[in-house]
Amino acid sequence: MTVQSELRSAASAYIAEYRPSMHPALWSHVADSVRELAFKADLTTPEQAKRFMRCTAEYLLWLAERGLSTDAASLTNSDLYAYFVTRTSADIASTRERRAFAFNRLSAVLRGTTPVPEELRPMESDQTQPYSNDDLVRLRAWANSQSTEQQTRRARAVLAFGAGAGLQPHDLLSMTAGAVVRDDNVVIAHVPGNDARTVPVLAAWEDMALQAADGLHPDDKVFPRVGTARPSELVREFVRYSAGEQRPTLARLRATWIHTHLAAGTSLRALMSAAGFRSTTSLQRYLVWVPEAPLSELRLASPVEVSR
C-alpha cells in the first residue's frame, strides 16, 4: 500500500469517528449530512477531513439557525457562503483558508465547480503547497530588490531560513548571526529555544543565509524584532509591506523545504528532528504534494530487485 493510500484510509477512518468540539445536541442535527458529504469529497488526509468536517458542520448549523435551506443550491451559493464567512470569521488567514478549502470541496461534490467567493480568494492557497522552481526564482528577486540594506537583510533571512532550513516565525526571530556557521563546507543553522536543533541549510540557499548574517555581531538577530506582536504577525507584516509583486509566506517556504527533503528521500527520523516535529502525524498534511512513485521505482527499491 502506498503512502497516499494509507493516508486516504486514515482519512476515511477519521470521518467515521469524527466528533467536533461543539455541543453533542448540535452535532447530532448535522452529523449524518456532514459525514455523507465528507465521504464524497475526496479527502486525502485526516487533516483535510478535519478541516472539511468542522467548517461544513458550522455552515450547516449557521444556515439552519436562520431558517435557510441546506440544499445543494444554498451550500454552493458563493454569495451566501461569503456572507457566512464575513459574519463568523475573525480576520485570520488560517481560518479563512480552512473555509475556502471546505467551500471548494463542497462545490466539487455538489455541483462540479463553483467560483470561489471574492472575499476568500486572497486566502485560497494551501499553505502546505511547495513553491515551484519558477516561484523561487521570482522570490529570490523579491529578496534582493528591497529598498534598504536592512529590508534586504530581513527578506533574505525570511527566504533563506524558510526555504533553506524550514524555520518557523518564532525560530526566525530567535536566530542570531553567530548561530549561522559554515562547518566542514556545510552551512549550519543552530536554532535556539524550546525546539533547539541543528539544521543544515540546503545548498541552494547557503549563500543567501550567509548574506543575511554577514556583517552582524554574533549576538545580533538576523531578523530583529520590531514591536510586541506575535512572531507570525511580525513576519507577515514585514512581507505584506515589502516591495515586489510576488511575496512569500513563511509557511509555504517551510513546506517547500519539507517537500524538497521528502522528494530527495531524506530519512523521516532526520527530517522530523530538523523540522522540530514530535510525531509523524505532523508530516501527514505535506505528503499530498509528494508525487506517487512509479511502480518501476518501487521495484528497484525492493530487496528482491536490488539483489539481482
Side-chain angles (χ1 to χ4, degrees):
M1 181 181 289
T2 66
V3 171
Q4 281 80 1
S5 297
E6 291 179 0
L7 288 174
R8 285 180 184 276
S9 296
S12 296
Y14 186 92
I15 292 168
E17 299 297 327
Y18 177 76
R19 297 289 187 279
S21 57
M22 66 180 61
H23 193 282
L26 293 175
W27 171 239
S28 67
H29 286 299
V30 297
D32 290 343
S33 297
V34 172
R35 283 205 176 89
E36 181 182 358
L37 289 166
F39 277 121
K40 294 178 179 178
D42 191 31
L43 303 167
T44 57
T45 68
E47 176 65 25
Q48 285 190 358
K50 178 181 180 180
R51 292 162 63 193
F52 178 86
M53 297 183 77
R54 175 181 172 183
C55 295
T56 302
E58 290 171 349
Y59 186 39
L60 285 171
L61 286 171
W62 185 84
L63 290 171
E65 287 170 358
R66 285 154 183 77
L68 300 173
S69 172
T70 56
D71 61 10
S74 295
L75 290 176
T76 58
N77 183 316
S78 61
D79 292 333
L80 183 60
Y81 195 84
Y83 182 70
F84 157 70
V85 169
T86 59
R87 299 296 294 178
T88 60
S89 294
D91 190 19
I92 300 173
S94 59
T95 300
R96 297 200 173 202
E97 285 165 7
R98 284 197 300 270
R99 290 186 165 174
F101 169 82
F103 180 78
N104 287 338
R105 291 304 172 93
L106 272 175
S107 300
V109 169
L110 298 173
R111 293 182 58 181
T113 58
T114 299
V116 178
E118 183 70 31
E119 290 82 355
L120 296 180
R121 286 178 187 166
M123 307 300 184
E124 183 182 14
S125 63
D126 186 342
Q127 294 299 295
T128 66
Q129 181 180 4
Y131 285 114
S132 69
N133 289 334
D134 287 343
D135 288 332
L136 293 175
V137 169
R138 288 189 285 269
L139 291 175
R140 280 183 183 274
W142 163 80
N144 290 321
S145 62
Q146 298 305 304
S147 57
T148 69
E149 180 180 347
Q150 184 182 51
Q151 292 289 89
T152 299
R153 185 187 299 277
R154 289 188 177 204
R156 287 172 174 169
V158 168
L159 195 56
F161 295 113
L167 300 197
Q168 300 185 81
H170 62 276
D171 298 323
L172 180 64
L173 266 65
S174 67
M175 281 291 296
T176 62
V180 184
V181 298
R182 184 179 290 279
D183 183 11
D184 194 23
N185 293 322
V186 176
V187 175
I188 302 291
H190 295 286
V191 184
N194 294 332
D195 294 322
R197 58 198 188 277
T198 298
V199 186
V201 178
L202 291 173
W205 300 102
E206 286 183 337
D207 288 345
M208 186 172 284
L210 292 172
Q211 289 172 345
D214 184 48
L216 295 177
H217 185 276
D219 293 334
D220 289 344
K221 299 293 176 60
V222 297
F223 192 102
R225 175 185 282 273
V226 177
T228 59
R230 293 180 303 174
S232 58
E233 293 173 351
L234 290 172
V235 176
R236 188 161 53 242
E237 286 299 298
F238 164 75
V239 172
R240 178 182 300 171
Y241 295 111
S242 64
E245 294 184 3
Q246 182 166 353
R247 305 178 184 92
T249 69
L250 202 54
R252 284 193 67 188
L253 292 174
R254 176 173 166 85
T256 304
W257 173 78
I258 290 171
H259 180 269
T260 300
H261 279 290
L262 288 173
T266 300
S267 78
L268 291 185
R269 185 180 296 276
L271 179 55
M272 287 174 58
S273 176
F277 289 149
R278 292 178 172 81
S279 74
T280 55
T281 304
S282 302
L283 275 175
Q284 287 183 348
R285 60 198 185 111
Y286 296 97
L287 294 177
V288 296
W289 297 103
V290 179
E292 291 273 9
L295 188 57
S296 58
E297 282 189 23
L298 298 177
R299 286 200 191 101
L300 286 172
S302 71
V304 174
E305 291 292 333
V306 170
S307 65
R308 289 182 180 175

